[in-house]
Amino acid sequence: MQAMGWAWIVPLLPLAAYGLQVFFARLGKGLTYLTIALLGASFLLSLGVLADALRGGQMAWSWSWLVVGPYQVEMGLRVGPLEAAMMAMVTFVSLMVEIYSVGYMAQDAKWTRFFANVHLFVFGMLVVVMADNFLLFFAGWEIMGLCSYLLIGHWYEDLDNARAASKSFLVTRLGDIGFLIGIFILFAYTGSLNFDVVNEAAVLWPAGGATLVALLIFLGAVGKSAQFPLHVWLPDAMAGPTPVSALIHAATMVAAGVFLVARTYPIFEASGLALWVVALIGAFTAFMAATIATVQADIKKTLAYSTISQLGYMMLSLGLFGYGAALFHLLAHAFFKALLFLGSGSVIHGLQGEQDMHRMGGLWRKMPWTALTFILGGAALAGIPPLAGYFSKEAILHDASAVSPLLTWVGILTAGITAYYVTRMIWLTFFGRPRQADLYDHAHESPWVMLLPLVLLAIPTVLFGYLEEPLLDFLRAPLASGTAGYVTLATLAVTAGGALAGLVLYVSDPVVRRQLLAALRPIYIFLKEKWYWDYVTLAVTGLGLAFGWLAAMVDRYVIDGVVNGLAWLTGQLGQLSRRWATGDGQAYILAMSLGLLVGLAIYLGMGS
């Protein structure tokens, strides 16, 4: 178990890579290749840690960080089965993204800054995965938030990109505020921030206290994992470079919210009610985001809404006691969604920046490797057997069927919608006739440095599903007792129906499609406007600004007015009293005598 003893080095290697990029930036691209090699070493060490974990090895390492009176705050790292699996996934996907970025970002003027921020992000994500306490976890959580902001706004010269970065940062901070309050309450309840201590104590809490803490923790997860109503930041985050979308907004950071709920699952179980909130939010988010994806023209935004939807599946599973299925889908989804985002980047790269699928078509002839790997990723996303997405989605729906048939059917219907928009996306991009001749004529396949990660990510996309049983045994998270016979048949039928609908609609004469859209125009507009959530967000923002203005006015003219008015009155009384301060002792004695006589007269009058 030698590798397990060195597990603490896994996050330090990308941190060292970040330091090299920052302090030795003048060395240029040659240094970047060295830092990518450091990330490769982190991945290899993660594989060693995973191998040790498979043999039963674990690691726990902590130190006293702060002592205040009777309270002692410890910082530490821990690696068990879940952490080992997550470390291997994070470092592998990150390495693929960085290798891909060598080609994708080759002409970028801020090359060093980009790779430095990616390395810092990987460090933050690994801290989140390995932290044994809420304080260190939150530090990594915020590092990821900062890097997300920096990478989304990488091309900050474009005002839209800068706004998208600010929006993502502010929206996710709303969730983080709730999470931080939850941490404070946890510390007040238990006197500890250690995950194991807090989770063990959760069973002794009153249900109301557990529900409050669980919902505050879930608020942080809602922000990071882009769940309703804080989902609005993720589609705008597509303004960043495509490798960023693959790493942060598909495979790793957005999964951190799901990982947080899984890490604190005993608190949610102690509540009961909080689990139903998680399930309902997850089911609604999965369905809503899938419907919006059906009308997107931008290939990256289609994948963004798809990511929101798949994260909703994971939350649905967690809420319905499908802990193992949610983790299985989290890991499987990371591989095929990273593949899809990098594949979309390959298409965009080959089309000189074009992202509108309605301007593409027929690209499989020009980009055969990109097309093949993208289709594999899309089929996994749609739940086509025997790819990884089929097994993980089936596990979620089977678990759900043991608890809530209604939410199970929501998941099945969402699977059909997913198959439809995936078919639409693949057809518009790679098949049919070229719809923009000049783009098609200049289209070309990506260089090998971008294709190699696609091929490597396609391997777990195809094979990972076969690891379901050993993986869940390893994670000590067996599937729930859901074995409803209708689930597999219904899911396959609905998935096939969605894919067939996509083919019929887009292979047929465009006139048929236009007639159908005209007949369904109100629904089309509703979906095109993203369920009008942007308007709701704008209204809430406007309401917040109005309340802020009102509070400022009250503060300035009421509160400050009262304080300033009292000060003015005191000053006037002081000016008046100065006239009586003559310095004449006889006058003072006379005034005192008169006051005494007046007081005596009042007293005698009251007594009579």
Side-chain angles (χ1 to χ4, degrees):
M1 299 182 185
Q2 297 177 348
M4 185 65 75
W6 295 96
W8 57 275
I9 294 181
V10 172
L12 293 185
L13 289 173
L15 181 62
Y18 168 75
L20 289 173
Q21 293 276 191
V22 170
F23 294 109
F24 300 97
R26 293 183 179 180
L27 296 180
K29 292 186 177 182
L31 178 65
T32 299
Y33 301 139
L34 173 62
T35 59
I36 294 175
L38 287 177
L39 183 56
S42 181
F43 166 61
L44 293 176
L45 183 55
S46 294
L47 289 182
V49 170
L50 180 60
D52 283 352
L54 288 169
R55 293 191 291 268
Q58 294 194 20
M59 185 273 284
W61 178 51
S62 64
W63 68 96
S64 179
W65 181 71
L66 181 65
V67 178
V68 180
Y71 300 107
Q72 178 173 315
V73 179
E74 292 187 343
M75 302 285 269
L77 303 175
R78 55 165 281 185
V79 177
L82 174 59
E83 294 79 14
M86 288 290 294
M87 288 164 63
M89 181 273 286
V90 170
T91 52
F92 173 67
V93 172
S94 302
L95 180 61
M96 294 301 99
V97 167
E98 289 208 359
I99 293 173
Y100 177 95
S101 299
V102 170
Y104 191 88
M105 305 295 290
Q107 305 302 320
D108 192 81
K110 298 187 286 290
W111 162 289
T112 300
R113 178 186 174 193
F114 172 83
F115 280 95
N117 288 332
V118 170
H119 288 306
L120 183 61
F121 168 82
V122 176
F123 166 72
M125 184 66 194
L126 288 171
V127 168
V128 163
V129 169
M130 299 176 66
D132 75 344
N133 65 88
F134 280 95
L135 188 60
L136 189 58
F137 184 102
F138 193 77
W141 184 272
E142 291 302 295
I143 288 172
M144 287 195 301
L146 171 63
C147 293
S148 174
Y149 167 76
L150 294 174
L151 289 165
I152 294 171
H154 180 72
W155 294 315
Y156 56 81
E157 299 87 349
D158 187 325
L159 186 57
D160 289 338
N161 289 5
R163 287 173 176 166
S166 297
K167 181 177 181 179
S168 68
F169 189 80
L170 293 173
V171 171
T172 53
R173 292 293 77 71
L174 292 176
D176 292 353
I177 290 171
F179 183 23
L180 190 58
I181 295 172
I183 292 175
F184 290 149
I185 296 175
L186 278 173
F187 189 73
Y189 264 125
T190 64
S192 174
L193 294 175
N194 183 273
F195 282 114
D196 290 337
V197 173
V198 169
N199 286 335
E200 290 173 4
V203 296
L204 303 176
W205 298 348
T211 297
L212 174 62
V213 172
L215 291 180
L216 287 170
I217 291 174
F218 182 57
L219 185 57
V222 164
K224 268 294 190 286
S225 291
Q227 297 295 281
F228 171 83
L230 300 183
H231 65 282
V232 294
W233 69 270
L234 186 57
D236 289 349
M238 297 303 104
T242 300
V244 172
S245 303
L247 175 63
I248 295 181
H249 308 122
T252 53
M253 188 185 86
V254 291
V258 178
F259 180 75
L260 172 61
V261 175
R263 175 60 75 82
T264 57
Y265 206 64
I267 301 175
F268 287 83
E269 288 182 309
S271 165
L273 175 62
L275 284 176
W276 279 105
V277 173
V278 172
L280 291 171
I281 291 292
F284 178 76
T285 303
F287 176 77
M288 175 200 66
T291 61
I292 297 174
T294 61
V295 297
Q296 295 299 306
D298 187 312
I299 188 172
K300 285 178 64 178
K301 287 196 174 181
T302 301
L303 293 173
Y305 280 107
S306 168
T307 300
I308 296 171
S309 180
Q310 296 304 305
L311 291 166
Y313 265 112
M314 299 174 207
M315 291 298 186
L316 166 65
S317 185
L318 286 171
L320 298 181
F321 300 96
Y323 176 84
L327 295 178
F328 180 38
H329 194 51
L330 184 156
L331 294 169
H333 175 263
F335 297 124
F336 62 73
K337 187 53 67 67
L339 171 60
L340 284 168
F341 266 109
L342 294 183
S344 71
S346 181
V347 171
I348 294 166
H349 181 269
L351 296 179
Q352 292 80 47
E354 182 58 60
Q355 296 183 200
D356 188 342
M357 294 183 292
H358 295 300
R359 294 166 59 84
M360 301 178 188
L363 292 178
W364 71 269
R365 301 180 187 88
K366 295 294 189 81
M367 307 177 183
W369 283 100
T370 299
L372 175 61
T373 53
F374 192 93
I375 291 169
L376 284 173
L381 173 59
I384 304 299
L387 303 178
Y390 164 76
F391 291 99
S392 59
K393 198 172 294 184
E394 279 292 294
I396 288 175
L397 294 176
H398 274 288
D399 274 4
S401 68
V403 183
S404 174
L406 176 60
L407 294 184
T408 302
W409 278 107
V410 173
I412 292 173
L413 179 59
T414 303
I417 298 171
T418 302
Y420 167 78
Y421 70 69
V422 166
T423 303
R424 170 182 179 267
M425 176 175 59
I426 291 174
W427 184 269
L428 286 176
T429 304
F430 295 106
F431 297 100
R433 60 179 180 80
R435 286 175 289 279
Q436 192 74 25
D438 57 333
L439 281 176
Y440 180 80
D441 291 341
H442 293 89
H444 57 83
E445 184 63 279
S446 296
W448 71 266
V449 75
M450 294 173 63
L451 293 178
L452 178 62
L454 299 184
V455 174
L456 294 177
L457 284 166
I459 295 172
T461 295
V462 174
L463 300 178
F464 191 74
Y466 296 103
L467 299 178
E468 178 179 357
E469 290 188 11
L471 176 67
L472 294 178
D473 288 342
F474 170 61
L475 296 178
R476 303 187 185 97
L479 295 177
S481 57
T483 56
Y486 68 86
V487 171
T488 299
L489 183 61
T491 304
L492 288 175
V494 171
T495 298
L500 183 61
L503 283 175
V504 169
L505 196 57
Y506 284 90
V507 175
S508 63
D509 192 322
V511 174
V512 176
R513 189 163 62 250
R514 285 195 291 268
Q515 290 174 344
L516 181 61
L517 289 177
L520 301 176
R521 186 165 181 76
I523 298 176
Y524 176 79
I525 293 175
F526 178 70
L527 297 180
K528 199 70 176 175
E529 293 291 346
K530 297 167 284 189
W531 286 44
Y532 294 101
W533 289 124
D534 285 346
Y535 296 98
V536 174
T537 303
L538 184 62
V540 171
T541 303
L543 191 62
L545 291 174
F547 275 115
W549 176 85
L550 181 61
M553 294 300 102
V554 170
D555 182 64
R556 178 178 299 178
Y557 295 109
V558 178
I559 297 175
D560 286 355
V562 170
V563 173
N564 294 334
L566 289 173
W568 176 85
L569 179 60
T570 303
Q572 293 303 311
L573 291 175
Q575 291 293 334
L576 182 62
S577 65
R578 287 177 61 187
R579 299 178 182 177
W580 300 342
T582 61
D584 188 342
Q586 293 180 344
Y588 293 162
I589 294 172
L590 177 61
M592 292 172 62
S593 299
L594 290 174
L596 182 62
L597 290 173
V598 170
L600 182 60
I602 293 173
Y603 176 76
L604 293 174
M606 292 176 63
S608 62

